[in-house]
Amino acid sequence: MRQKIRRIISAVIFFATAVFTICAKLTVASGATASCPGYKAYHVVETSNGLQASLVLNGAPCNVFGQDISELMIDVSFDTDSRLHVHISDTAKAQYQIPPSVISLRKGQPGNRDNKNMEFIHTHNETTGFGFKVVRDNEVIFDTIGHVLVFEDQYLELTSSVPNDANIYGLGETPGWFRRNPYNTTITLWNRDTPALFEENGYGSHAVYMELRNSKFHGCYLHNSHGMDVVLSDGSLQYRVIGGTLDLYFFAGPTALDVVDQYTQLIGRPNRIPYWALGFHNCRFGYKSVYEVNQVIANYSAAHIPLEAAWTDIEYMEKYRDFTFDPQNFPLEEMQKQLEFLHKRGQKMVLIIDPAIHVNNEYGPYIRGQEQDVFVRNADGSEFIGQVWPGYTAFPDWFASNVSRWWSGELRRYFDQLPIDGMWIDMNEAASFCTGSCGSGKPVGTVPPLPWEKSPEPHRPLSNNTFLVPPYAIHSRYIELSKMTLETTAVHANGIIDYHVHNLYGYMESKLTYEFLRNYRPNIRPFVLSRSTFAGSGAFISHWTGDNAATWQDMHLSIASMFEFGIFGIPMVGSDICGFYQNATEELCARWIELGAFYPFSRSHNSLFAYPQEPYRWESVAEAARRALGIRYTLLPYIYSCYQDAVERGWPVVRPLVFEYSHAKVADNDRQLLVGDSILVSPVLSAGARTVKAFFPAGLWYSWHDSHSVIEAINDVVTLDAPLEHINVHIRGGRIVPAQHPEMTTEQVRQNDYELLVATDSNGAAIGQLYIDDGQTLDTLHRWVDFTFHKRTLWIRQRSGQFAINHPLSKLVLLGVSGVYKALVNGEYVQCTISSIGNHTEIAGLNISLEKDSKLTLEAIH
């Protein structure tokens, strides 16, 4: 067994570190294309909403990384007051563009171009040809003038000047620090199955960024599904794209939240999650049986650590085949008992599904898939056959006309047996353990050894097919883009090769899976967790950041990843707490559960290649979990209200300080996080530390653990004590935070009365809000309630909705308020218990309905 584990670990290290030789075609593109002629505009027609023009090559073609396209068109339109659309495409319409049937962008309601917040200016340079600027409030925010435009069939290049020390955020999925290094950074977008490696392309593609310039934010999104590099260097931002068109959207901001609002208005708002998804989750790749999972559930209960949902990885399947149950270790009847047990306790079950389907003539999903012609094919018309966990596998073609019926049918059979609460879709980049159609010609049902169970095979000779090895090699780890995924020449049902749509695979699976759950359980909110994502995925799924390592750096990077997915419109995001691979130390795991308790999606998960790391396995970690998760569960009404802001306006639940305080001192701060705009979390991110240096923006900040401890900040760093089992949490002065008493499940929390934490600012004032609905259905009634506190008076005002709130406001915790001895509700004295010590006052025993406007007045000794 130890020898097998060593082989597996060696294989993981191999896949994490192997680098194929990068060919000479990785010549710096900006140098290679410097002699290209650019384009010249003619037939420029201004419209009430923008302009249209033709573009023609401004000289002899350079054909550096493909064939120059001689005739283009540019279409400029002001989609909304705050969104500008600039589309440069080939006149012949031969270049692939994402069709609306795949991603339907919300176009907005255009108006007169003279009433917009942005301006489009174009000009001609004798050397570089056509260029344009996007201007907001007399400030240039995107500027291609002086940079040559290259538009070839397999290579597009567009460059904008940016400040030398630009503050640029987003672009991914590429693990790295939140503020992108503006001096020498290449961000590659090509979805692949990989450990989450520093500054390498990962599971998703999001060609959107925002920039902070002169205390204002703006944003830009490139709507293109092809592989690309985005290069930041020498005062420029350069797109290098290996196909498609330049379909750009600019967002005026001017705040960070405005940019995210404007972006998600275009690509789709985040989906409405069930309330239970905000609880704490547990999983491990390596549980040996359903009985072991039962014991894990019991261990959480015995340790008094909240557990909302028990997850199981691929080991529950029979021979790793989708939609099956291992009859020996995870028999269906025992899984059904586990689900029933969980539901009786208000807990949930989530299981994993991979897209790849085992090629086996005795396996129903494959037989039915063949009958309905739903699998991706090779160029010669044969079935593309890769290799994943069950052996040789076929891959669903999400473009196939019958694929929705087939996928829904398989899921329905599965759910009819075991009606789990949520779905986890993995390996959907799509992942394959081999290169090319390695199963073609092999006997059906063959199960080859996994890659780490045999000697590495020599790589096949590189092809001169430019769709396998493009003339411009993006900076993905492997020179051949088909490595460990679908062949880029594989053909989809619409006749399009995978080269053009590779990055859409996970998005399309997510969409169909979400639609199945909508139909299977009408009106119940689906919960789907996906590894691979694309622009707009947030409308259907939540996300975890994949196979991270049990290292201090990866824990730190998880904060930046959350911030980025907040920009991407996927606010329900988190990383595997304590790391997926490698062995976590007790100290690391304690610190990570403290941080992970504030991830929007909070889950402990790791690999069979590492030691188990559920938080109850060390007493210090268990205590850290109880404390940190106790805060999370107390804050559930507040977090859920923040998530509704995401649903309605796209706003991230967890956000960086720079989103609220747009100045230079916090421009690169990814060591702290805000939950909403009111809760500041300052985790320990280094081994051995028992203090943490935390930045506090100007104002009052009250310690969660000791409300008598108040920091009167002037935009400075404060050193805080941080014992091993403690995480520093502060409430922002001027905010009101709704809360409920913590319990072991979210269902139990929702049965408790409401509390308000009123943290006053220097003027003795505070504001807050509460959103509440049934947490389950899509057509639920809702209720928004606003709170205002000033001059020792709390106003409760109904904003909208009729949802019945069955539990009253029974407690107030007033921070920065002293001397209170009486309380009046709507002018009437009420019986209550008042405790007022220093600047901290608690009022218990209230019975104030949150379904109507109310006024609570406090009388105090002056």
Side-chain angles (χ1 to χ4, degrees):
M1 181 65 182
R2 289 181 179 178
Q3 186 178 2
K4 182 176 180 182
I5 292 293
R6 281 197 296 270
R7 286 201 306 269
I8 293 173
I9 292 173
S10 297
V12 171
I13 294 172
F14 170 78
F15 281 116
T17 60
V19 180
F20 283 87
T21 303
I22 302 299
C23 72
K25 290 177 181 177
L26 267 179
T27 306
V28 176
S30 58
T33 58
S35 61
C36 290
Y39 288 82
K40 183 176 182 179
Y42 69 103
H43 292 163
V44 179
V45 178
E46 293 195 0
T47 68
S48 62
N49 192 43
L51 66 82
Q52 294 177 331
S54 298
L55 301 176
V56 63
L57 273 175
N58 194 42
C62 57
N63 299 330
V64 175
F65 297 112
Q67 297 296 311
D68 281 32
I69 296 177
S70 59
E71 294 187 5
L72 308 176
M73 59 187 298
I74 181 169
D75 194 332
V76 179
S77 59
F78 292 87
D79 284 0
T80 70
D81 288 344
S82 55
R83 187 172 84 213
L84 172 66
H85 183 198
V86 177
H87 189 194
I88 302 173
S89 60
D90 57 312
T91 304
K93 302 293 184 186
Q95 296 288 99
Y96 181 78
Q97 299 180 44
I98 303 171
S101 59
V102 175
I103 300 179
S104 178
L105 299 179
R106 285 71 170 172
K107 293 299 184 181
Q109 297 181 350
N112 190 297
R113 62 187 303 228
D114 296 329
N115 297 327
K116 304 302 175 185
N117 292 323
M118 288 183 285
E119 184 180 3
F120 180 87
I121 299 171
H122 65 94
T123 188
H124 183 81
N125 180 288
E126 288 301 322
T127 304
T128 57
F130 171 82
F132 68 89
K133 294 180 180 180
V134 177
V135 181
R136 179 201 56 195
D137 296 334
N138 298 316
E139 180 180 33
V140 177
I141 60 173
F142 196 86
D143 183 4
T144 75
I145 295 171
H147 303 285
V148 67
L149 167 64
V150 181
F151 202 114
E152 299 176 345
D153 56 351
Q154 282 190 260
Y155 183 74
L156 315 177
E157 182 179 299
L158 183 72
T159 309
S160 172
S161 298
V162 297
N164 286 329
D165 197 27
N167 297 307
I168 291 175
Y169 311 95
L171 300 168
E173 180 177 8
T174 306
W177 309 123
F178 181 50
R179 177 177 177 260
R180 297 298 187 184
N181 182 349
Y183 299 108
N184 187 23
T185 296
T186 299
I187 301 155
T188 300
L189 276 59
W190 182 261
N191 297 355
R192 67 189 184 103
D193 173 23
T194 173
L197 301 176
F198 185 66
E199 294 188 341
E200 292 197 19
N201 54 304
Y203 311 107
S205 291
H206 299 269
V208 60
Y209 74 86
M210 62 168 57
E211 182 186 352
L212 172 63
R213 198 182 294 187
N214 297 324
S215 300
K216 292 182 179 180
F217 281 91
H218 62 269
C220 178
Y221 167 58
L222 173 59
H223 190 55
N224 186 306
S225 57
H226 291 80
M228 70 180 76
D229 287 337
V230 184
V231 181
L232 301 175
S233 180
D234 301 324
S236 68
L237 181 151
Q238 184 177 81
Y239 296 98
R240 305 174 186 174
V241 193
I242 58 173
T245 66
L246 294 168
D247 195 2
L248 296 157
Y249 291 85
F250 298 95
F251 310 102
T255 71
L257 297 183
D258 288 336
V259 172
V260 178
D261 181 8
Q262 293 151 12
Y263 176 57
T264 56
Q265 186 183 47
L266 173 71
I267 63 164
R269 301 294 198 196
N271 71 98
R272 298 177 69 189
I273 57 169
Y275 202 98
W276 63 262
L278 293 175
F280 183 70
H281 306 254
N282 181 83
C283 187
R284 173 171 162 79
F285 174 31
Y287 288 135
K288 297 180 179 63
S289 71
V290 63
Y291 312 106
E292 184 178 1
V293 178
N294 289 342
Q295 187 60 53
V296 168
I297 297 167
N299 291 345
Y300 268 94
S301 180
H304 301 289
I305 299 172
L307 177 64
E308 190 71 20
W311 297 50
T312 307
D313 212 312
I314 58 174
E315 57 270 5
Y316 81 86
M317 302 175 186
E318 182 180 16
K319 299 178 181 179
Y320 298 140
R321 297 173 184 168
D322 279 350
F323 315 116
T324 65
F325 300 91
D326 180 345
Q328 205 165 26
N329 297 311
F330 291 87
L332 175 60
E333 58 272 19
E334 292 300 321
M335 295 291 283
Q336 291 168 334
K337 290 178 183 177
Q338 185 184 95
L339 180 63
E340 182 181 7
F341 174 80
L342 288 167
H343 283 178
K344 284 181 179 178
R345 293 159 51 96
Q347 295 169 302
K348 309 297 180 183
M349 177 190 284
V350 182
L351 299 180
I352 194 171
I353 289 289
D354 294 338
I357 299 296
H358 188 221
V359 175
N360 188 312
N361 287 335
E362 297 180 355
Y363 175 47
Y366 177 69
I367 296 168
R368 290 184 287 270
Q370 273 202 322
E371 291 172 349
Q372 297 179 57
D373 191 19
V374 300
F375 296 126
V376 175
R377 297 195 168 273
N378 290 306
D380 63 5
S382 62
E383 209 168 70
F384 176 87
I385 301 175
Q387 181 190 355
V388 193
W389 294 106
Y392 291 125
T393 51
F395 291 79
D397 178 3
W398 308 117
F399 288 95
S401 59
N402 291 327
V403 72
S404 178
R405 181 160 60 94
W406 169 78
W407 186 244
S408 295
E410 300 307 325
L411 288 173
R412 183 173 293 277
R413 292 181 182 88
Y414 177 68
F415 271 74
D416 284 348
Q417 296 179 88
L418 189 70
I420 58 176
D421 300 286
M423 284 192 64
W424 174 17
I425 52 177
D426 192 14
M427 306 288 284
N428 54 347
E429 292 73 30
S432 177
F433 294 155
C434 64
T435 301
S437 189
C438 59
S440 292
K442 303 292 195 302
V444 173
T446 301
V447 179
L450 293 165
W452 49 85
E453 296 176 342
K454 61 182 180 180
S455 300
E457 296 179 357
H459 195 275
R460 66 187 185 183
L462 293 179
S463 170
N464 59 5
N465 185 326
T466 59
F467 289 117
L468 288 173
V469 183
Y472 174 75
I474 59 174
H475 287 59
S476 189
R477 175 169 286 261
Y478 308 115
I479 186 173
E480 190 168 1
L481 296 179
S482 303
K483 178 71 177 177
M484 297 184 68
T485 187
L486 294 178
E487 190 90 279
T488 49
T489 55
V491 183
H492 293 270
N494 56 359
I496 298 297
I497 60 173
D498 196 67
Y499 177 91
H500 302 296
V501 297
H502 168 82
N503 287 338
L504 297 173
Y505 194 88
Y507 171 91
M508 296 183 73
E509 183 196 18
S510 298
K511 186 177 180 181
L512 286 184
T513 303
Y514 179 87
E515 289 174 352
F516 160 76
L517 289 170
R518 284 288 308 270
N519 292 325
Y520 187 78
R521 292 177 177 142
N523 200 32
I524 298 298
R525 300 176 199 179
F527 178 78
V528 182
L529 186 80
S530 177
R531 189 168 76 171
S532 185
T533 61
F534 192 78
S537 287
F540 312 111
I541 56 88
S542 303
H543 176 65
W544 93 108
T545 59
D547 297 350
N548 59 351
T551 65
W552 292 93
Q553 175 171 287
D554 274 23
M555 180 172 68
H556 184 175
L557 290 170
S558 73
I559 301 175
S561 293
M562 280 193 296
F563 294 166
E564 288 170 3
F565 275 90
I567 295 173
F568 301 158
I570 307 177
M572 188 62 175
V573 61
S575 297
D576 285 345
I577 295 172
C578 300
F580 178 74
Y581 65 92
Q582 299 181 10
N583 293 319
T585 65
E586 179 177 356
E587 181 188 16
L588 173 64
C589 207
R591 293 306 192 188
W592 209 325
I593 188 64
E594 291 166 3
L595 168 62
F598 297 93
Y599 293 164
F601 173 64
S602 185
R603 182 183 70 164
S604 173
H605 179 46
N606 82 320
S607 167
L608 60 82
F609 308 144
Y611 297 134
Q613 61 191 31
E614 295 88 355
Y616 54 74
R617 292 188 178 272
W618 300 278
E619 181 48 40
S620 68
V621 181
E623 180 59 24
R626 285 188 286 266
R627 293 184 188 183
L629 290 172
I631 300 172
R632 178 189 183 89
Y633 276 61
T634 300
L635 288 172
L636 282 173
Y638 170 73
I639 297 172
Y640 191 64
S641 300
C642 292
Y643 196 87
Q644 187 62 24
D645 276 333
V647 170
E648 295 183 12
R649 294 185 275 191
W651 291 0
V653 175
V654 167
R655 60 193 71 156
L657 279 164
V658 74
F659 279 19
E660 293 290 329
Y661 305 93
S662 54
H663 53 71
K665 286 189 175 182
V666 293
D668 59 357
N669 186 327
D670 54 18
R671 301 185 67 88
Q672 296 169 270
L673 56 133
L674 283 166
V675 181
D677 67 356
S678 306
I679 302 294
L680 177 62
V681 181
S682 304
V684 171
L685 300 174
S686 57
R690 295 299 181 267
T691 61
V692 62
K693 292 183 177 180
F695 180 87
F696 286 89
L700 300 180
W701 295 88
Y702 299 86
S703 169
W704 178 276
H705 305 281
D706 179 8
S707 59
H708 299 288
S709 175
V710 185
I711 294 174
E712 297 185 43
I714 51 171
N715 293 323
D716 209 352
V717 173
V718 177
T719 299
L720 305 171
D721 289 334
L724 180 59
E725 297 160 353
H726 174 93
I727 185 167
N728 280 283
V729 178
H730 287 80
I731 307 169
R732 180 181 179 181
R735 294 296 184 269
I736 299 175
V737 177
Q740 287 173 295
H741 187 74
E743 304 286 355
M744 291 294 103
T745 67
T746 61
E747 184 178 292
Q748 292 170 338
V749 173
R750 285 175 63 95
Q751 301 308 309
N752 293 331
D753 290 352
Y754 286 92
E755 305 172 10
L756 291 182
L757 307 178
V758 181
T760 60
D761 61 16
S762 58
N763 296 314
I767 58 172
Q769 61 180 12
L770 170 68
Y771 175 83
I772 188 67
D773 59 23
D774 69 10
Q776 301 179 51
T777 64
L778 290 162
D779 68 356
T780 174
L781 296 174
H782 80 279
R783 190 179 294 269
W784 272 111
V785 183
D786 291 321
F787 307 108
T788 305
F789 185 84
H790 187 53
K791 294 182 178 179
R792 294 192 176 90
T793 300
L794 174 71
W795 285 271
I796 300 171
R797 296 186 176 96
Q798 305 299 305
R799 186 196 309 174
S800 66
Q802 297 295 321
F803 181 78
I805 303 179
N806 297 322
H807 303 281
L809 172 63
S810 64
K811 183 178 179 180
L812 289 181
V813 177
L814 302 158
L815 309 180
V817 177
S818 60
V820 176
Y821 68 92
K822 281 186 180 180
L824 297 85
V825 176
N826 299 324
E828 300 288 335
Y829 288 107
V830 294
Q831 291 292 324
C832 57
T833 302
I834 300 175
S835 173
S836 188
I837 303 175
N839 68 345
H840 179 118
T841 298
E842 290 191 14
I843 304 175
L846 297 169
N847 187 23
I848 302 174
S849 171
L850 293 173
E851 296 182 343
K852 59 184 180 181
D853 292 354
S854 295
K855 177 183 176 182
L856 184 147
T857 305
L858 306 176
E859 292 188 358
I861 301 171
H862 296 285

